[in-house]
């Protein structure tokens, strides 16, 4: 078995290609940028990115959550927007991420755009794209 299976990992810099590939649970906070294929084949867990994401972000994602505190990446056609009520989930996740400092502390209280996918692989993952004030 490959991939992270629990706990929390905080990276104060940038990460390379395929970071969080096949991650199974836990939380990964990235304060810098990420290379190509961030969270590809993500099985479960939460990845929060402060910087820019490389190409093919979330490719083959099955479940889990990607939070973009920085610039939103280009949305692949296999991810679609949904309007489910995530008010309580967002309040708890936002508070948990804010504890780890800037830029996660600046996530707005306003609900993020929520995209689900990767539908090309039958995935039920989600991207949360906070709308900055």
């Amino acid at each position: 078995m490959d991939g992270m299976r629990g706990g929390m990992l905080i990276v104060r810099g940038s990460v390379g290609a395929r970071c969080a590939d096949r991650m199974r649970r836990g939380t990964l906070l990235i304060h810098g940028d990420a290379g190509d294929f961030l969270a590809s084949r993500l099985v479960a867990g939460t990845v929060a990115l402060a910087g820019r994401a490389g190409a093919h972000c979330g490719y083959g994602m099955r479940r889990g959550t990607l939070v973009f505190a920085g610039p939103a990446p280009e949305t692949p056609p296999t991810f679609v927007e949904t309007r489910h009520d995530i008010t309580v989930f967002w309040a708890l996740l936002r508070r948990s991420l804010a504890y780890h400092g800037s830029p996660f502390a600046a996530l707005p209280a306003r609900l993020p755009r929520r995209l689900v996918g990767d539908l090309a692989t039958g995935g039920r993952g989600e991207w949360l794209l906070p709308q900055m004030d």
Side-chain angles (χ1 to χ4, degrees):
M1 292 174 70
D2 293 331
M4 186 168 153
R5 291 186 229 149
M8 176 176 280
L9 178 63
I10 301 171
V11 178
R12 299 275 178 204
S14 295
V15 296
R18 296 212 178 268
C19 182
D21 184 38
R22 292 186 272 178
M23 188 169 125
R24 287 174 166 54
R25 66 179 80 114
T27 303
L28 172 61
L29 297 176
I30 306 165
H31 284 258
D33 298 331
D36 295 344
F37 292 98
L38 171 68
S40 62
R41 302 179 294 175
L42 182 73
V43 176
T46 301
V47 177
L49 177 67
R52 297 187 181 281
H56 311 295
C57 185
Y59 177 80
M61 191 175 172
R62 287 161 180 77
R63 288 184 304 278
T65 302
L66 273 169
V67 179
F68 298 96
E74 183 177 332
T75 304
T78 54
F79 282 79
V80 295
E81 192 158 358
T82 180
R83 300 279 185 209
H84 289 100
D85 184 7
I86 60 167
T87 305
V88 173
F89 172 71
W90 179 244
L92 294 171
L93 179 61
R94 189 173 138 276
R95 186 180 326 152
S96 173
L97 295 175
Y99 175 79
H100 298 285
S102 183
F104 304 109
L107 289 171
R110 189 172 49 179
L111 291 178
R113 283 183 55 220
R114 180 176 182 257
L115 307 169
V116 296
D118 185 339
L119 300 176
T121 60
R124 296 182 303 261
E126 65 182 355
W127 286 17
L128 299 179
L129 301 156
Q131 301 173 45
M132 300 302 175
D133 296 324

